[in-house]
């Protein structure tokens, strides 16, 4: 195998080597060892070496046949090796056949029936696979015909279930009457013209797949092997012509029971017959259900195993093999396995899968001659004559029978696979070759059911029309699924539960008919509920998107309207809110991320919209968002591009609130939510809080704890000496605060102090926050020693040591939102306090400073006389 080979060469060599091995060994000990299923679990190279004395291919290195088949299905083999996949699939199917045949099921009791209605007989026995003995045919055989039968018999077939085919006995066939139960045979319908959809009753050639009846002769005391009476799992009818027989029947697919017998299967002795099992046992030993028969029609549904023993001098039986709706799936499955090693069977599989195959069945068939039976299409009884009008009950019975047969012939889907899995949904993939003839408007599609584990009880179901199923085209490696399509569909979100084990099954619906449900898929477990997924798309400012949308109004320089996409994954629990962080995108301002607050979900046209306020005008910010649910907080999202606030709004309407005043929008887990996940989250967040560092109110608890869980810094109530909440306006040049309620009557007095605004102060907005002293008081260092406490507050600094503008920039870089400068020895706001400036003339202090020194300042800067400073200091905690 050093050279690349075509697929036919590989197959021929494989079969030659395999046949040689089996032909040489051919003994019971070798056969027994080959049926040991553990053999198929060897590495592929060792398995093929054991079979043929050498490796199938040196490059096919897989731990077992199952893994090799998976590699074929996922196109993981080199292109020149992919041709071996058909042989690998054959070995895999033989492995499954051996596994399922290690123990044969229970003996099947034979029941007798005098039922004259074929449809009832079909429902009671044929469809549920119960062997039954019917009354002998009224069309008795003449002595002359029996003599002809015996003359046609091949001595070598005596005592075997195969018998002698009557194809060599045309005179016998001419006088043969086919039993009514066998006249619904699909094999006679596989004619070349019928399968093209253009049947021609006059010129259509017979089907090449018709099973000609066989004659079985069994002498007294001779026992046949235990096996299927008909090939490919067809239904068998044994018509007892003369003599008597003992019979025992096994059902290989029946559940295990006290009457079950373990019969060791032996594989066929050639590669082409490897999957043809026989059983090395004595079928008539210690059995309870041995029955003696001397007349009647013995009906053996598909896959039944039977052994016969002659009684009397000689016994003769006529065997009919046919395929109808009850056995069609078994025949197609067995033929598909055969097609791996016998290319002639491929045409049978294709014919049985044809859209033009007529799968109807007569509800009340009658016996007919062999010539009539093998012709298709058949001339309907009464054709050309006026038909008798049917009654309503007959019409209903015919309709019910029609859909029953359709349901039996719909193909059974192979187990689906789970292509993608969410907490509450799943995407399934399956193969299906089912199609309808062009012009057929009957509604059809697929039923999907899901079950808890492998439980047969349905936990949920979904009916999906074929038109909405996604098709990935023809399956490349469907193997025995000829013309199969690769289909995909997603079970809607919310159909499944998180942290739950499921399996899935698929079936076809066509009109009123339902196909057999597929076997169960492998079990999967949905992921548990978790925090939401990360918001990968960064927020943008409203109006920056191309699509037309209703933006949140922005009227002030201290506001920004943000748009963002919600997280794709909510973690399996509804999103309760969003944490929005911001940082200055200016090198001379505080650049650390700060949690602005928690905002509730505000969806408009599929997008989240947030109005962020209390921002400093004329300043560039970056924003990022995290979402949270009852379980926890997501990873922080991507940061936005720099977004600048305006500088054109009305001065008196612009407000920036800092610590002690900011109105934080809080969306917390309510105490009424007693869910286990919520309780765990609440306890976890509480454990993160340090009571010595934070004075936490109920309203701020959740936002503070979420901030800590994300390792974010939030403007905290640090144990610093700080003053009252004040409002500072560099436009009106006032500082206001409320006095404490010293009288206990619930009233406080508002105090207003005059300040002197800096000449380069923004004069565009006022700020409200707690007052704090800088450390050091002269604010000459950067960073300030109490920079964290200064953030979000108005800082009070002393004059001296460094220029005023440096002090302001140090406070600004720490996150302060306003600066009050102690005027020191000044007693009035005039040139004695700041050279060249007079407040009464409308000047601001620092008038003579160079503009470029102050161009980086974004926060209000004022000066306060010493006496007023002392008044404020007296109010510090």
């Amino acid at each position: 195998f050093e050279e690349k080979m075509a697929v036919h060469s590989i197959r021929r060599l494989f079969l030659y080597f395999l046949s040689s091995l089996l032909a040489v060994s051919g003994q019971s000990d070798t056969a027994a060892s080959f049926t040991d299923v553990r053999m198929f679990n060897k590495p592929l190279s060792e398995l093929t070496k054991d079979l043929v004395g050498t490796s199938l291919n040196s490059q096919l290195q897989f731990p077992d046949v199952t893994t090799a088949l998976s590699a074929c299905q996922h196109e993981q083999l080199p292109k020149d090796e992919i041709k071996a996949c058909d042989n690998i699939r054959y070995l895999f199917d033989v492995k499954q056949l051996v596994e399922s045949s290690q123990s044969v099921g229970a003996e099947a009791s034979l029941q007798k029936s005098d039922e004259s209605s074929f449809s009832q007989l079909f429902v009671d026995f044929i469809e549920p696979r119960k062997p039954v003995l019917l009354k002998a045919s009224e069309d008795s055989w003449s002595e002359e015909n029996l003599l002809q039968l015996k003359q046609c018999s091949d001595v070598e077939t005596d005592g075997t279930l195969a018998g002698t085919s009557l194809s060599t006995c045309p005179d016998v066939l001419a006088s043969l009457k086919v039993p009514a139960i066998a006249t619904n045979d699909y094999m006679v319908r596989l004619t070349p013209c019928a399968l093209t959809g253009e049947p021609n009753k006059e010129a259509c050639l017979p089907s090449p797949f018709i099973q000609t009846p066989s004659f079985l002769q069994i002498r007294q005391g001779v026992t046949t092997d235990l096996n299927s009476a008909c090939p490919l799992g067809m239904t068998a009818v044994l018509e007892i012509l003369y003599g008597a027989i003992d019979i025992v029947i096994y059902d290989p697919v029946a559940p295990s029971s006290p009457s079950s017998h373990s019969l060791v299967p032996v594989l066929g002795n050639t590669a082409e017959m490897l999957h043809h099992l026989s059983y090395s046992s004595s079928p008539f030993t210690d059995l309870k259900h041995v029955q003696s028969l001397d007349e009647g029609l013995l009906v053996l549904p598909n896959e039944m195993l039977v052994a016969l023993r002659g009684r009397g001098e000689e016994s003769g039986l006529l065997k009919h093999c046919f395929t109808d709706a009850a056995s069609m799936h078994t025949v197609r499955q067995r033929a598909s396995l055969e097609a791996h090693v016998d290319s002639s069977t491929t045409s049978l599989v294709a014919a049985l899968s044809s859209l033009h195959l007529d799968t109807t069945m007569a509800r009340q068939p009658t016996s007919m001659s062999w010539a009539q039976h093998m012709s298709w299409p058949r001339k309907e009884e009464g054709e050309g004559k006026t038909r008798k009008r049917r009654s309503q009950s007959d019409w209903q019975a015919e309709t019910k029978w029609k859909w029953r047969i359709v349901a039996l012939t719909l193909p059974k889907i192979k187990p689906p696979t789970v292509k993608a899995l969410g907490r509450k949904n799943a995407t399934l993939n399956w193969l299906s070759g089912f199609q309808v003839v062009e012009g057929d408007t009957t509604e059809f599609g697929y039923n999907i059911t899901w079950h808890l584990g492998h439980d047969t009880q349905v936990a949920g179901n979904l009916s999906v029309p074929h038109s909405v199923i996604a098709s990935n085209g023809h399956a490349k490696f469907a193997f025995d699924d000829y013309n199969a399509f690769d289909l995909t569909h997603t079970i809607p979100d919310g159909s499944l539960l998180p942290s739950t084990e499921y399996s899935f099954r698929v079936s076809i619906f066509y009109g009123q008919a339902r196909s057999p449900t597929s076997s169960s898929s492998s079990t999967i477990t949905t992921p548990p509920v978790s925090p939401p997924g990360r918001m990968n798309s960064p927020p943008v400012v409203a109006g920056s998107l191309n699509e037309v949308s209703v933006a949140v109004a922005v009227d002030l320089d201290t506001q920004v309207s943000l748009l963002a996409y919600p997280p794709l994954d909510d973690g399996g629990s509804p999103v309760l809110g969003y944490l929005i962080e911001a940082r200055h995108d200016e090198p001379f301002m505080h650049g650390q991320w700060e949690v602005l607050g928690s905002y509730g979900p505000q969806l408009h046209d599929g997008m989240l919209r947030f109005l962020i306020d209390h921002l400093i005008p004329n300043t560039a910010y970056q924003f990022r968002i995290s979402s949270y649910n009852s379980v926890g907080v997501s990873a922080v999202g991507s940061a936005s591009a720099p977004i600048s606030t305006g500088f054109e709004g009305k001065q008196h309407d612009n407000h920036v609130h800092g610590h002690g005043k900011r109105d934080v929008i809080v969306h917390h887990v309510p105490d009424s939510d007693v869910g286990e996940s919520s309780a765990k989250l609440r306890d976890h967040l509480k454990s993160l809080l340090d009571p010595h560092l934070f004075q936490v109110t109920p309203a701020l608890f959740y936002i503070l704890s979420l901030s800590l869980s994300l390792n974010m810094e939030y403007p905290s109530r640090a144990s610093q000496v700080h003053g009252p909440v004040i409002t500072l306006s560099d436009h009106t040049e006032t500082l206001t605060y409320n006095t404490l309620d010293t009288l206990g009557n619930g009233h406080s007095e508002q105090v207003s102090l005059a300040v002197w605004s800096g000449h380069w102060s923004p004069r565009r907005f006022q700020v409200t926050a707690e007052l704090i002293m800088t450390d050091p008081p002269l604010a000459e260092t950067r960073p300030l020693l109490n920079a964290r406490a200064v953030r979000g507050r108005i800082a009070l600094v002393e004059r001296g040591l460094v220029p005023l503008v440096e002090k302001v920039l140090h406070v600004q870089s720490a996150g302060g939102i306003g600066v009050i400068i102690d005027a020191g020895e000044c007693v009035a706001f005039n040139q004695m306090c700041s050279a060249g400036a007079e407040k009464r003339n409308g000047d601001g202090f620092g008038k003579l400073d160079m503009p470029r020194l102050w161009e980086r300042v974004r926060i209000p800067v004022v000066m306060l006389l010493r006496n007023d400073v002392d008044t404020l200091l007296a109010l510090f905690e």
Side-chain angles (χ1 to χ4, degrees):
F1 294 97
E2 296 177 357
E3 307 260 344
K4 298 179 182 178
M5 300 181 181
V7 62
H8 69 276
S9 300
I10 293 179
R11 179 179 288 117
R12 290 180 63 187
L13 286 171
F14 173 78
L15 296 179
Y16 171 75
F17 290 145
L18 188 54
S19 299
S20 300
L21 172 74
L22 296 175
V24 170
S25 56
Q27 304 299 322
S28 60
D29 56 343
T30 303
S33 66
F34 191 66
T35 60
D36 188 348
V37 72
R38 291 173 299 179
M39 174 181 183
F40 291 93
N41 294 328
K42 290 183 177 181
L44 184 63
S45 58
E46 292 185 24
L47 172 62
T48 52
K49 185 176 181 179
D50 290 343
L51 293 177
V52 301
T54 184
S55 173
L56 177 64
N57 194 300
S58 59
Q59 296 187 22
L60 296 181
Q61 300 294 330
F62 294 100
D64 51 45
V65 174
T66 304
T67 307
L69 180 63
S70 177
C72 287
Q73 293 172 328
H74 294 88
E75 303 182 60
Q76 296 171 348
L77 290 182
K79 290 184 178 180
D80 56 319
E81 312 294 352
I82 208 74
K83 301 169 185 176
C85 286
D86 206 33
N87 290 333
I88 292 173
R89 177 57 187 258
Y90 178 65
L91 285 175
F92 176 81
D93 286 347
V94 173
K95 172 180 178 288
Q96 287 192 315
L97 188 64
V98 174
E99 286 176 333
S100 63
S101 304
Q102 288 296 296
S103 62
V104 175
E107 297 173 56
S109 60
L110 181 62
Q111 302 181 49
K112 295 183 180 181
S113 175
D114 295 328
E115 179 63 57
S116 59
S117 169
F118 169 76
S119 59
Q120 193 61 48
L121 180 71
F122 184 87
V123 172
D124 293 342
F125 295 98
I126 309 303
E127 184 179 342
R129 300 181 59 261
K130 296 178 181 179
V132 60
L133 181 66
L134 306 180
K135 293 185 299 183
S137 172
E138 296 179 357
D139 302 312
S140 59
W141 284 70
S142 65
E143 291 294 332
E144 181 181 357
N145 289 338
L146 289 177
L147 181 60
Q148 289 178 329
L149 267 178
K150 294 179 181 180
Q151 291 174 346
C152 286
S153 176
D154 186 347
V155 176
E156 294 182 1
T157 65
D158 284 357
T160 68
L161 287 174
T164 301
S165 173
L166 297 188
S167 59
T168 59
C169 308
D171 294 338
V172 176
L173 279 177
S175 59
L176 176 68
K177 281 286 188 178
V178 179
I181 194 172
T183 56
N184 279 314
D185 187 8
Y186 289 165
M187 290 296 178
V188 304
R189 309 179 187 188
L190 305 181
T191 62
C193 57
L195 295 180
T196 61
E198 300 177 357
N200 186 324
K201 297 182 181 181
E202 304 300 330
C204 192
L205 296 174
S207 166
F209 306 108
I210 295 177
Q211 292 289 313
T212 307
S214 299
F215 176 58
L216 282 65
Q217 283 194 113
I218 306 175
R219 295 184 300 278
Q220 183 177 11
V222 174
T223 302
T224 67
D225 292 334
L226 178 68
N227 217 318
S228 298
C230 291
L232 301 177
M234 296 180 184
T235 302
V237 175
L238 300 181
E239 183 178 0
I240 303 174
L241 301 179
Y242 57 88
I245 58 170
D246 292 331
I247 182 170
V248 62
I249 306 169
Y250 282 96
D251 185 356
V253 296
S256 180
S257 70
S259 61
S260 297
H261 288 260
S262 179
L263 303 177
V264 179
V266 179
L267 297 177
N269 58 2
T270 66
E272 291 85 351
M273 301 291 289
L274 192 63
H275 56 286
H276 289 210
L277 301 184
S278 59
Y279 298 89
S280 55
S281 63
S282 300
F284 287 92
T285 303
D286 299 326
L287 298 181
K288 299 179 180 179
H289 294 101
V290 177
Q291 299 193 47
S292 298
L293 307 176
D294 56 9
E295 65 175 354
L297 295 175
L298 175 61
V299 182
L300 299 173
N302 57 298
E303 295 187 290
M304 288 290 176
L305 301 177
V306 63
L308 307 176
R309 181 173 59 190
R311 295 178 66 234
E313 183 176 347
E314 187 178 69
S315 303
L317 300 90
L318 191 62
K319 181 181 69 174
H320 302 268
C321 296
F322 64 93
T323 302
D324 60 9
S327 58
M328 180 176 179
H329 289 305
T330 300
V331 173
R332 186 157 48 189
Q333 182 180 7
R334 293 293 182 87
S336 298
L337 177 58
E338 184 100 14
H340 289 295
V341 291
D342 182 2
S343 58
S344 64
T345 315
T346 304
S347 57
L348 171 60
V349 179
L352 289 173
S353 304
S354 172
L355 296 179
H356 299 286
L357 173 62
D358 184 352
T359 57
T360 59
M361 287 178 57
R363 189 164 65 93
Q364 295 296 343
T366 57
S367 61
M368 60 183 64
S369 68
W370 178 251
Q372 289 177 302
H373 175 68
M374 66 181 298
S375 64
W376 192 265
R378 293 178 186 150
K379 184 176 181 180
E380 296 184 21
E381 185 178 352
E383 185 174 340
K385 300 179 182 179
T386 303
R387 293 188 179 184
K388 182 180 179 181
R389 185 173 182 179
R390 293 184 300 175
S391 66
Q392 177 71 12
S393 59
D394 283 343
W395 179 84
Q396 291 176 339
E398 286 288 349
T399 302
K400 184 177 179 180
W401 174 255
K402 166 195 168 183
W403 288 114
R404 186 183 201 97
I405 299 305
V406 170
L408 288 173
T409 55
L410 290 176
K412 181 179 180 180
I413 304 295
K414 288 198 171 183
T417 57
V418 179
K419 189 175 182 181
L421 182 65
R423 294 175 186 84
K424 298 182 179 181
N425 62 15
T427 300
L428 302 183
N429 179 247
W430 67 91
L431 298 179
S432 174
F434 180 71
Q435 300 177 69
V436 296
V437 179
E438 185 177 356
D440 187 348
T441 59
T442 306
E443 182 182 9
F444 81 99
Y446 297 87
N447 289 318
I448 302 173
T449 59
W450 46 97
H451 311 255
L452 298 179
H454 278 299
D455 192 354
T456 56
Q457 185 173 355
V458 176
N461 65 87
L462 181 69
S463 293
V464 189
H466 182 267
S467 58
V468 301
I469 298 272
S471 175
N472 304 313
H474 283 280
K476 294 183 179 180
F477 298 102
F479 296 103
D480 51 341
D481 294 295
Y482 291 87
N483 298 314
F485 287 92
D486 188 2
L487 304 180
T488 301
H489 190 72
T490 299
I491 297 174
D493 193 45
S495 301
L496 308 181
L497 297 175
S499 302
T500 306
E501 187 180 49
Y502 288 100
S503 61
F504 303 90
R505 301 175 187 180
V506 180
S507 62
I508 299 171
F509 70 83
Y510 174 78
Q512 301 177 27
R514 300 293 183 268
S515 76
T517 303
S518 73
S519 300
S520 177
S521 70
S522 300
T523 57
I524 54 89
T525 301
T526 52
V529 177
S530 66
R534 181 175 183 267
M535 300 172 65
N536 293 320
S537 298
V540 297
V541 67
S544 63
L545 299 180
N546 293 330
E547 67 268 18
V548 177
S549 59
V550 180
V552 179
V554 177
D555 296 326
L556 304 175
D557 295 337
T558 55
Q559 297 177 337
V560 166
S561 177
L562 292 181
L563 302 178
Y565 288 102
L568 297 177
D569 178 16
D570 65 1
S573 179
V575 173
L576 300 177
Y578 296 86
L579 295 175
I580 299 182
E581 300 175 73
R583 72 175 178 185
H584 296 287
D585 189 54
E586 309 274 9
F588 46 84
M589 299 192 72
H590 177 68
Q592 297 183 23
W593 288 103
E594 175 185 350
V595 177
L596 300 180
S598 173
Y599 295 76
Q602 304 173 44
L603 273 174
H604 299 276
D605 298 331
M607 295 199 71
L608 297 166
R609 303 177 188 275
F610 305 104
L611 181 62
I612 312 300
D613 55 6
H614 303 302
L615 303 175
I616 297 175
N618 193 31
T619 302
Y621 287 88
Q622 281 187 292
F623 300 91
R624 64 184 187 183
I625 306 176
S626 305
S627 59
Y628 60 87
N629 57 18
S630 62
V631 176
V633 188
S634 72
V636 66
S638 302
S640 70
I643 297 174
S644 296
T645 52
F647 203 59
E648 301 296 334
K650 298 178 181 179
Q651 297 166 340
H652 64 276
D653 289 336
N654 286 323
H655 298 270
V656 175
H657 292 167
H659 200 65
K661 178 62 176 176
R662 176 179 294 172
D663 297 322
V664 179
I665 303 175
V666 178
H667 298 270
H668 62 284
V669 178
D671 292 334
S672 60
D673 185 352
V674 294
E676 181 181 359
S677 58
S678 300
K680 287 182 178 179
L681 173 66
R682 196 177 288 111
D683 292 342
H684 171 66
L685 297 179
K686 284 181 180 178
S687 68
L688 296 175
L689 296 176
D690 185 346
H692 300 291
L693 293 180
F694 297 93
Q695 299 175 13
V696 183
T697 63
L700 289 176
F701 165 72
Y702 194 70
I703 182 64
L704 287 173
S705 54
L706 285 177
S707 304
L708 286 173
S709 70
L710 286 173
N711 294 319
M712 300 175 184
E713 295 188 63
Y714 185 79
S716 60
R717 287 182 171 270
S719 298
Q720 296 281 338
V721 176
H722 61 80
V725 175
I726 66 173
T727 297
L728 182 65
S729 173
D730 60 354
H731 172 63
T732 62
E733 296 189 303
T734 58
L735 183 156
T736 59
Y737 65 93
N738 291 329
T739 61
L740 298 176
D741 179 16
T742 56
L743 300 178
N745 57 12
H747 297 288
S748 60
E749 182 182 355
Q750 187 178 72
V751 178
S752 180
L753 303 176
V755 297
W756 190 13
S757 298
H759 184 78
W760 308 102
S761 188
R763 297 176 185 261
R764 306 300 300 182
F765 60 100
Q766 63 182 23
V767 295
T768 301
E770 292 172 343
L771 182 64
I772 191 169
M773 285 285 295
T774 61
D775 184 10
L778 294 173
E780 73 275 17
T781 63
R782 181 178 178 181
L784 299 174
L785 299 180
N786 65 339
R788 181 174 180 180
V790 169
R791 187 191 315 174
R793 291 185 169 92
I794 300 172
L796 177 62
V797 301
E798 296 181 3
R799 294 185 72 170
L801 200 59
V802 297
L804 296 181
V805 67
E806 287 193 27
K807 299 174 184 290
V808 175
L809 290 175
H810 291 172
V811 171
Q812 182 175 271
S813 67
I817 62 174
V819 178
I820 300 174
I821 300 173
D822 182 350
E825 302 300 325
C826 297
V827 294
F829 297 135
N830 54 29
Q831 295 188 52
M832 297 297 295
C833 203
S834 178
E838 289 279 350
K839 180 181 178 181
R840 62 185 178 182
N841 295 333
D843 299 331
F845 71 85
K847 175 182 178 181
L848 300 182
D849 289 353
M850 298 182 66
R852 64 178 180 82
L853 297 177
W854 290 86
E855 64 184 8
R856 295 177 294 170
V857 174
R858 298 290 185 269
I859 59 178
V861 182
V862 301
M863 189 175 288
L864 186 64
L865 295 178
R866 172 60 60 84
N867 291 338
D868 292 335
V869 170
D870 291 340
T871 300
L872 289 178
L873 290 176
L875 299 175
F876 270 55
E877 294 180 352

